[in-house]
Amino acid sequence: MRIAIFSAKNYERTLLDELNATHHHDIVYFETLLEPDTASLSAGFPAVSVFVNDIVDGDVLGQLAAGGTKLVATRSTGFNHIDLEAAKKLGVTVVRVANYSPNSVAEFAVGLILVLNRKIHRAYNRTREGNFELDGLMGFDLVGRTVAVIGTGKIGTIFARIMAGFGCKVIGFDKYRSPEFERIGGRYVEAEEIEDADIISLHCPLTPETYHIVSARTLNRLKRGALLINTSRGGLVDTEAAIEALKSGQLGGMAIDVYEQEAGLFFKDLSSTVIPDDVIQRLVSFPNVIVTGHQAFFTREALGTILETTLASVSDFAEGRPLTNEITM
Ligand code: NAD
């Protein structure tokens, strides 16, 4: 099948070409984002593959359908960037990668906690400048601390298991209970009890219900000095409110791998330009904030599974086989 791969990065192209040796698709790579102005590039491609910052709204889907696209395959778990209702109306099937090394994201979230709490990012910079001072680098023991996991699905549960291994008390907030989360010692709580946590880590999807789940109100109710970790989606956090909470010391630190306005910034080298986004610039100026560019998924294992699953979904679609990764409303 002819596939147009949008937001294609070099590290994906090499691996996709290798994996495609068994699928034999006709792949064309587009480095650009899929958005209203670039959607016409997909004309004549029955399959289009996208990533998290591509815009797959009603307008773009309309253009895709008019150009003959029947399948949109997102190389991600999250699908908040796709208008599923519009896709359904236009007869465009949407598939994702429901399951790929959730360990990659869970382990990264743990890494962010260790770096943020023990200020390893600051120590790294200091020692390179010949500064071996410890002032300002004090952290806290993780053992005995309370860690709140918002969203105890695949990633949240693995994250919880690792934190339990550090001797943390793990509490969870989710609409559905995971027996695995409880088996590893996690305790489900009501929203108010999250206020007891020393560390809050977000692992729920971005939906209308979870948009700004971390708001000024939530932040004001947290334990003073708590750490916030977001490896899920930027829209879960009201970033302006988080900045105010960091300024007042209510929030002790924040590590984010995702950012509400990340489209246009993340996955690009902007080091030679003046970045016009004042919010991200303010955030990176804080000593107790770590920003990474949506790299939590980025392990050899996860990327291999993401790309193989995407090609396999296109093969299944082409052959009329059942689609295990179809997103249905
Ligand atoms: P999952 O579907 O297994 O788990 C999500 C959990 O969130 C589920 O248990 C669900 O019940 C819960 N949830 C849904 N709405 C909720 C709400 N209102 N309040 C509390 N909990 C709620 O998904 P997963 O594989 O664990 O992935 C979680 C998220 O991680 C994805 O949606 C995606 O946004 C993000 N992610 C980020 C990266 C990255 O590189 N940074 C990579 C993969 C996934």
Side-chain angles (χ1 to χ4, degrees):
M1 200 167 222
R2 289 197 83 209
I3 317 175
I5 309 252
F6 282 87
S7 298
K9 295 288 177 192
N10 283 337
Y11 51 77
E12 291 180 298
R13 291 178 189 210
T14 316
L15 200 46
L16 271 167
D17 287 342
E18 275 173 33
L19 295 168
N20 194 36
T22 54
H23 290 278
H24 311 294
H25 295 300
D26 177 7
I27 297 178
V28 177
Y29 297 106
F30 296 105
E31 207 174 316
T32 177
L33 277 184
L34 175 64
E35 54 190 337
D37 288 347
T38 60
S40 59
L41 291 170
S42 64
F45 287 90
V48 165
S49 177
V50 297
F51 197 46
V52 289
N53 290 328
D54 288 304
I55 297 169
V56 197
D57 59 10
D59 173 4
V60 168
L61 280 161
Q63 293 194 54
L64 259 55
T69 298
K70 302 271 180 242
L71 178 72
V72 170
T74 184
R75 306 190 296 286
S76 61
T77 305
F79 48 86
N80 50 283
H81 52 303
I82 305 175
D83 183 339
L84 293 179
E85 215 163 296
K88 194 175 177 187
K89 274 191 202 137
L90 292 159
V92 175
T93 303
V94 182
V95 290
R96 63 170 176 153
V97 184
N99 204 353
Y100 68 86
S101 178
N103 300 281
S104 61
V105 183
E107 289 170 10
F108 193 81
V110 175
L112 288 177
I113 291 175
L114 295 175
V115 173
L116 184 64
N117 172 31
R118 304 302 297 272
K119 285 109 177 143
I120 296 169
H121 56 304
R122 300 189 65 201
Y124 173 81
N125 285 329
R126 275 191 194 185
T127 55
R128 287 164 72 90
E129 296 283 330
N131 177 356
F132 300 94
E133 261 286 9
L134 296 186
D135 267 352
L137 300 186
M138 194 184 287
F140 58 80
D141 282 7
L142 287 175
V143 65
R145 295 287 177 157
T146 300
V147 179
V149 186
I150 316 299
T152 57
K154 292 182 286 295
I155 296 170
T157 298
I158 293 172
F159 169 81
R161 180 166 49 71
I162 303 172
M163 296 316 294
F166 276 108
C168 295
K169 291 177 204 143
V170 181
I171 57 175
F173 178 72
D174 200 310
K175 296 194 321 188
Y176 306 102
R177 285 174 176 244
S178 150
E180 178 60 13
F181 178 77
E182 292 184 307
R183 201 186 59 73
I184 54 123
R187 182 171 62 84
Y188 280 102
V189 297
E190 295 302 318
E192 305 76 53
E193 260 192 85
I194 289 165
E195 296 159 24
D196 297 338
D198 300 286
I199 300 168
I200 298 97
S201 193
L202 305 177
H203 299 289
C204 57
L206 176 62
T207 63
E209 195 186 348
T210 60
Y211 175 73
H212 285 187
I213 193 170
V214 178
S215 60
R217 188 168 165 272
T218 328
L219 288 161
N220 286 333
R221 293 168 63 155
L222 293 182
K223 188 187 267 189
R224 190 167 174 80
L227 304 182
L228 176 65
I229 313 295
N230 187 8
T231 55
S232 197
R233 282 293 179 268
L236 297 176
V237 177
D238 179 343
T239 316
E240 304 268 4
I243 288 174
E244 288 311 309
L246 285 158
K247 278 159 67 178
S248 71
Q250 169 61 11
L251 197 55
M254 181 167 83
I256 55 170
D257 184 50
V258 285
Y259 168 56
E260 196 170 0
Q261 310 302 335
E262 70 179 52
L265 285 179
F266 284 14
F267 310 118
K268 287 182 179 167
D269 179 2
L270 302 175
S271 55
S272 304
T273 61
V274 175
I275 294 173
D277 183 327
D278 292 346
V279 175
I280 197 88
Q281 293 296 72
R282 184 74 180 102
L283 275 179
V284 295
S285 76
F286 285 104
N288 55 347
V289 169
I290 295 170
V291 179
T292 52
H294 209 134
Q295 71 172 88
F297 75 97
F298 200 48
T299 65
R300 205 167 290 122
E301 294 78 5
L303 190 63
T305 309
I306 289 169
L307 300 180
E308 173 54 31
T309 306
T310 302
L311 292 178
S313 289
V314 178
S315 297
D316 288 343
F317 185 78
E319 303 294 331
R321 291 189 289 263
L323 295 171
T324 42
N325 281 300
E326 183 171 359
I327 311 171
T328 47
M329 287 179 61

